[in-house]
Amino acid sequence: MKIIKKITGTIILLFTILLCFPAFYAFPIQFENCKKKFENGVVGAPGYAIGFVTCLLLYLLVSFFLIKLSLKLIREKKLDTKSIDEIGVKE
């Protein structure tokens, strides 16, 4: 089961990293489009900007939680074990 968790975590992490590459390309272009709409005085510019910011935040949240999940699956849980010297000692 540990191997399956690590493989799944690695796959999710790679998938998240691959999702970041198109974002580095697309978000600056969309930001420029949003800026041009404001400069041209288009009526729908505020709605376009709100939609852009909403999509950006949603994308960042999804990426953050996918990375968090993958790291949780990859990391091993450390057992809280007591040393032999502490077993018989009363607290």
Side-chain angles (χ1 to χ4, degrees), residues 3-22:
I3 295 292
I4 294 173
K5 278 185 169 182
K6 285 190 178 195
I7 291 172
T8 306
T10 306
I11 290 172
I12 291 173
L13 186 62
L14 290 175
F15 177 71
T16 307
I17 291 171
L18 288 175
L19 279 177
C20 289
F21 289 121

Side-chain angles (χ1 to χ4, degrees), residues 26-71:
F27 282 132
I29 294 171
Q30 291 301 322
F31 181 72
E32 289 298 322
N33 289 341
C34 184
K35 203 161 70 170
K36 285 179 187 175
K37 286 190 184 285
F38 272 105
E39 289 171 357
N40 294 337
V42 178
V43 175
Y48 192 82
I50 290 171
F52 171 71
V53 170
T54 303
C55 288
L56 179 65
L57 289 176
L58 182 66
Y59 185 81
L60 291 174
L61 281 174
V62 167
S63 299
F64 173 74
F65 285 114
L66 280 175
I67 289 174
K68 189 175 174 181
L69 173 69
S70 66
L71 291 177

